[in-house]
């Protein structure tokens, strides 16, 4: 959308943006809780520690090299000319954020927002690799995501050639993804898909005949609590992204918050209704996934939707997720314990489509042109980002085996990699009953 240098914000708007950006880590907390709650108790401490580690790695790697490849709209970049049009390819900023002024400028706020955003994207694959992904491998994989995959696509979306599809080719307003449905969520979701392919399913998940065994979440309450934290974080993510990266006026923050909330609410209710019809009662873990799917789908166009459209975006996401999870797990034998692929990749893709069909952007710029711009972005995600992230993780797996051995998976990652369980007081030893 925004290909020109960023305009300065008023003092009040700058303070508002900073406060909104400070809310984004709540989304990271929420995903960490959801990932942990939907896994197994014998790997709970490992799941939370992995969340902390990948956020740390993502922040450091992004500051060292990630931002130099992503940059900010209107910043220094490498470009090439095709057909008389200049296409922005990759940013050319210094490493280690050298020369950047850390103040209330939009660029400095974008850097902070993106540090949190790349951490959020890095948390998504943890869900798909739960109970079998080594801690060291998660950190190295995160470094690849934060240092190359994420900043490259983010640059294309927020100032690069995908954003220029509008002015250069007349395709609506160019590829629109103000809050990161594609840039954060789908990129993370496609990385999650790559990880599940490389790691393979958990032991005992599938029989020799291909029948899927149910492995229940150990703490659904923790997952539902994570949904509430994620809601707060998404309000900040969608609002600050719309202002800093979507080019909307700060007064639209209320509309963004309304649409984000309505989308999550509608998605959760539809997921509850679908699971009630299918299973005889609402499935709490799938309702939690539905809530997150509504947040994910809202991100791309929350600033450009009418409230009724926001409800529709969430309702479709809530209907998609239970069926997508069932399709991946039962039919395609993709073992994704937390439903990350369905929640973040599939719902994120729907959010990108909704921009062209339901938002003001599609209505004002011509739905056909906007549809083409969104489809080009989606094709880039599926045709370039997915092979890239799979290839990088495949190469990593060749030199550093990412999956724990069978004994480690049986014992649980807490004991195998950390040397202690998350809940030692739950273990009863015979010595406890010996009279002194």
């Amino acid at each position: 959308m925004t290909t020109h240098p960023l305009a300065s914000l008023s003092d009040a708007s700058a303070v508002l943006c900073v406060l909104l950006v400070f809310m984004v880590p709540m989304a990271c907390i929420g995903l960490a809780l959801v990932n942990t709650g939907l896994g197994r108790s014998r790997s709970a401490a490992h799941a939370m520690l992995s969340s902390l580690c990948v956020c740390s790695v993502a922040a450091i790697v992004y500051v060292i090299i990630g931002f130099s490849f992503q940059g900010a709209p209107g910043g220094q970049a490498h470009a090439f000319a095709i057909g008389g049009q200049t296409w922005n390819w990759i940013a050319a900023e210094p490493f280690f954020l050298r020369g950047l002024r850390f103040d209330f400028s939009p660029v400095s706020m974008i850097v902070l927002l993106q540090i949190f955003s790349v951490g959020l994207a890095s948390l998504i694959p943890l869900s798909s690799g739960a109970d079998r992904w080594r801690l060291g491998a998660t950190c190295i994989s995160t470094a690849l995501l934060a240092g190359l995959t994420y900043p490259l696509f983010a640059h294309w979306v927020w100032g690069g050639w995908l954003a220029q599809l509008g002015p250069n080719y007349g395709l609506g307003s160019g590829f629109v993804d103000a809050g990161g449905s594609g840039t954060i969520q789908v990129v993370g979701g496609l990385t999650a898909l790559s990880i599940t392919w490389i790691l393979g399913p958990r032991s005992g998940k599938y029989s020799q005949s291909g029948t899927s065994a149910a492995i229940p979440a150990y703490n659904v309450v923790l997952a539902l609590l994570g949904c509430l934290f994620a809601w707060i974080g998404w309000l900040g993510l969608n609002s600050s992204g719309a202002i800093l990266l979507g080019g909307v006026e700060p007064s639209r923050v209320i509309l963004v918050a309304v649409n984000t909330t309505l989308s999550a609410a509608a998605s959760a209710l539809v997921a509850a209704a679908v699971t009630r019809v299918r299973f005889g009662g609402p499935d709490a873990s799938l309702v939690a996934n539905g809530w997150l799917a509504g947040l994910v789908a809202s991100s791309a166009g929350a600033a450009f939707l009418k409230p009724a459209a926001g409800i529709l975006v969430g309702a479709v996401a809530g209907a998609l997720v239970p069926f997508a999870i069932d399709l991946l797990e039962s039919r395609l034998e993709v073992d994704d314990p937390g439903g990350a692929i369905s929640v973040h990749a599939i719902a994120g893709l729907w959010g990108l489509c909704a921009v062209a069909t339901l938002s003001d952007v599609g209505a004002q710029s011509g739905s056909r042109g906007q549809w083409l711009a969104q489809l080009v972005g989606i094709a880039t995600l599926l045709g370039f980002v997915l092979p890239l992230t799979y290839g990088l993780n495949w190469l990593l797996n060749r030199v550093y085996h990412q999956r724990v051995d069978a004994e480690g998976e049986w014992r649980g990652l807490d004991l195998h990699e950390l040397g202690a369980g998350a809940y030692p007081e739950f273990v009863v030893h015979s010595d406890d009953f010996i009279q002194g």
Side-chain angles (χ1 to χ4, degrees), residues 13-215:
S13 297
V15 170
L16 173 63
C17 275
V18 169
L19 293 176
L20 291 170
V21 172
F22 284 169
M23 293 167 60
V24 178
M26 288 289 189
C28 298
I29 295 171
L31 281 195
L33 291 173
V34 171
N35 292 346
T36 302
L38 295 182
R40 287 173 165 175
S41 61
R42 61 194 186 194
S43 299
H46 188 275
M48 287 302 293
L49 180 61
S50 297
S51 299
L52 188 62
C53 288
V54 301
C55 286
S56 302
V57 170
I60 292 172
V61 172
Y62 183 81
V63 165
I64 295 174
I65 63 172
F67 182 75
S68 66
F69 295 148
Q70 178 181 345
Q76 302 179 60
H78 298 290
F80 57 87
I82 296 180
Q85 301 289 350
T86 300
W87 298 91
N88 193 324
W89 173 249
I90 191 170
E93 300 288 347
F95 293 148
F96 288 96
L97 306 181
R98 296 196 314 273
L100 178 66
R101 293 181 55 191
F102 296 97
D103 49 20
F104 273 170
S105 67
V107 174
S108 64
M109 286 187 279
I110 286 175
V111 169
L112 182 59
L113 172 61
Q114 291 305 292
I115 288 174
F116 297 150
S117 297
V118 74
L120 184 62
S122 300
L123 287 169
I124 296 169
L126 289 181
S127 177
S128 65
D131 304 317
R132 61 206 190 278
W133 201 10
R134 297 170 64 186
L135 180 60
T138 65
C139 292
I140 301 173
S141 178
T142 295
L144 297 174
L145 175 67
L148 180 61
T149 310
Y150 177 91
L152 183 61
F153 186 73
H155 177 76
W156 295 346
V157 173
W158 294 317
W161 68 271
L162 284 174
Q164 294 175 305
L165 289 172
N168 282 1
Y169 269 169
L171 299 184
S173 298
F175 183 71
V176 175
D177 185 19
S181 284
T183 314
I184 301 171
Q185 310 303 330
V186 178
V187 168
L190 294 179
T191 303
L193 177 59
S194 301
I195 293 301
T196 59
W197 281 340
I198 291 169
L199 296 180
R202 290 169 290 176
S203 298
K205 178 63 179 177
Y206 297 103
S207 66
Q208 292 183 348
S209 63
T211 304
S212 172
I215 302 179

